Amino acid sequence: MSTLLTLEEPAADGAARPNWRAFTEMGFRPLYLAGCSWALASVLLWVFAPARLAGVLTAMPWHAHEMLWGFVATIAVGFLLTAGANWTGRNPLRGAPLAALCAVWLVARGAYLAPGMTAFTLAAAADLLFFLWAAAALARAVWITRNRRNYGVPLLLLALAAAHALYLRAALAGDYVALMRYFNTGLLAMAVLTLLIARRVLPFFAKRAVQGLEIPPHTRSGHWQLGAGVMAIACLLAGAPRAAALLLAVTGVLALAQWLAWKPWAARRVPLLWILYVGYLGLGIGLLAGAAQLAGYVARPAWPAHVIGVAGFSVLIIGMATRTAMGHLGRPLRADRSMVLSYALVILAALLRLAALMPTGAAAGLLHASACAWALGFGLYLWRFFPWMIRPRADAAAKPAAPLMKIVPAGPRRAP
């Protein structure tokens, strides 16, 4: 009897079937998916089901911790483990060790939601192990290859780990002042790391995306910016908010000067590029808002935290998680409609979240609308990229004889 119909799992865009070795080939694959999934789920929990937050960390400290360390820093680790392979020619973490790192991350996310000190201790230790392990893997690759330009990057991951531990200690002690100090320390450490990354990749991406575009890398201003940011963190920890405010203002002004020098109007027709410009602008404005808050001109600390975190980090993340993933997945660097829509939704979520901070009767409705736009934006990203992340590179799929574990750089070796 002849076969009339054969049922077979459809392959995305004609690509190969899902492959575990491909999925754990580089850090961005599992960690971009994990971070964006948690961004979606944790915000929905925080806004629509706060009663589910039964852990030792109460609602607000849990939300702040999970947004910074559970989402933003996780994406940063995924990026750095991937970029480290290009910077050094050595993949810092892949295969079973990378899968184990992701398992540690999952344990932390789940344990924070469980009641009792045992679960809290397990979550805190798992998170600490996650950042220390990632920092050690990146440091090993950088040190073995004598990649001096990136010696400081693992130290910023260690600073994030230290801020995480101090934040949790303050939360246990019920010390709100210390809690905010260490949250701001982690926020600034993440901001310095983001500025360092964005200052490298944004001009590089811009010159590749816009033919004939010439923009300065701002290397010298970047060194001043890095120094001012690190000193601002030190002043904050030392209990000198006025000095920290001045240094933070310098960092933010330099970011805005760089943004202007990079000719943002040239990126208006390239979605993969303008989304990064929007995020960098949000980060620069957020740093100035943080300086104003430390100087006593802004009463509510929620303002700078949300400008930096939502209008800055999150907008940059949706852009970077798209652009870098497509480059390393061997796909054409063109944003489709779903990607552009996800950008618009995340920007809308940021604007609505900032509007919800206004003391008006519409605050609750704006917060709910922001959470919905946020969930849709990151949901679209996951819908589009999940099938690609779990399969070999698109160009590798066209060549079955090619080894699955071969690392194919997205550009020149020193590019991210």
Side-chain angles (χ1 to χ4, degrees):
M1 179 181 289
S2 61
T3 302
L4 296 178
L5 179 65
T6 301
L7 296 178
E8 186 177 359
E9 179 189 1
D13 297 334
R17 289 179 178 276
N19 185 299
W20 177 256
R21 292 179 64 195
F23 180 57
T24 57
E25 184 181 41
M26 302 192 83
F28 79 94
R29 288 176 179 260
L31 289 174
Y32 279 10
L33 293 180
C36 290
S37 296
W38 190 235
L40 189 161
S42 62
V43 164
L44 292 181
L45 273 174
W46 159 245
V47 174
F48 295 110
R52 300 282 184 179
L53 308 178
V56 171
L57 273 184
T58 54
M60 184 62 77
W62 177 85
H63 172 62
H65 182 275
E66 291 306 282
M67 283 292 96
L68 180 55
W69 285 282
F71 164 45
V72 176
T74 299
I75 299 294
V77 168
F79 174 86
L80 290 172
L81 291 178
T82 304
N86 278 356
W87 294 340
T88 66
R90 295 178 63 94
N91 192 338
L93 216 56
R94 68 181 181 186
L98 177 59
L101 181 75
C102 295
V104 168
W105 181 89
L106 283 171
V107 167
R109 306 283 72 78
Y112 283 123
L113 297 174
M117 276 302 300
T118 300
F120 175 81
T121 304
L122 176 62
D127 254 348
L128 190 61
L129 176 59
F130 174 80
F131 289 111
L132 293 179
W133 192 348
L138 186 61
R140 182 174 182 272
V142 167
W143 175 255
I144 288 176
T145 58
R146 298 297 187 266
N147 191 258
R148 293 181 177 84
R149 186 180 183 223
N150 294 297
Y151 277 177
V153 176
L155 296 178
L156 288 171
L157 282 181
L158 291 178
L160 276 171
H164 149 77
L166 292 169
Y167 178 90
L168 292 184
R169 188 180 71 174
L172 277 182
D175 188 341
Y176 179 78
V177 174
L179 184 81
M180 289 309 302
R181 181 189 305 125
Y182 297 132
F183 174 77
N184 287 333
T185 299
L187 193 71
L188 293 186
M190 191 65 243
V192 171
L193 182 58
T194 303
L195 289 169
L196 177 66
I197 293 170
R199 187 180 55 77
R200 291 182 183 182
V201 304
L202 210 156
F204 174 77
F205 289 164
K207 285 189 277 190
R208 293 191 70 178
V210 181
Q211 187 174 6
L213 180 64
E214 289 297 328
I215 55 177
H218 266 272
T219 303
R220 181 171 294 182
S221 74
H223 292 159
W224 283 101
Q225 188 181 54
L226 179 62
V230 170
M231 290 176 64
I233 294 171
C235 289
L236 191 63
L237 288 173
R242 293 281 178 174
L246 178 60
L247 290 162
L248 204 56
V250 170
T251 307
V253 167
L254 286 173
L256 295 182
Q258 292 162 353
W259 184 82
L260 285 171
W262 291 334
K263 304 176 182 176
W265 53 89
R268 65 189 183 279
R269 300 184 188 278
V270 186
L272 289 176
L273 193 55
W274 62 247
I275 186 65
L276 300 179
Y277 275 90
V278 172
Y280 202 79
L281 176 63
L283 181 55
I285 294 172
L287 291 170
L288 294 181
Q293 194 268 326
L294 288 173
Y297 297 113
V298 176
R300 294 187 65 186
W303 270 102
H306 284 87
V307 178
I308 292 174
V310 185
F313 293 156
S314 301
V315 174
L316 278 169
I317 280 172
I318 197 69
M320 289 288 287
T322 303
R323 170 60 175 81
T324 58
M326 291 175 74
H328 286 286
L329 291 169
R331 295 191 169 272
L333 297 177
R334 292 189 301 272
D336 62 24
R337 291 180 181 178
S338 72
M339 297 173 198
V340 177
L341 181 56
S342 70
Y343 299 166
L345 286 165
V346 172
I347 292 172
L348 176 62
L351 295 174
L352 290 170
R353 185 64 187 94
L354 294 176
L357 294 175
M358 299 286 189
T360 67
L366 289 169
L367 176 62
H368 291 168
S370 173
C372 291
W374 174 276
L376 287 171
F378 282 100
L380 270 176
Y381 174 83
L382 293 167
W383 172 79
R384 195 73 185 95
F385 279 82
F386 181 82
W388 295 345
M389 295 288 206
I390 61 175
R391 291 173 166 84
R393 286 176 56 107
D395 47 8
K399 303 173 183 178
L404 290 177
M405 296 304 293
K406 181 179 179 181
I407 301 171
V408 184
R413 179 173 172 176
R414 294 181 66 86

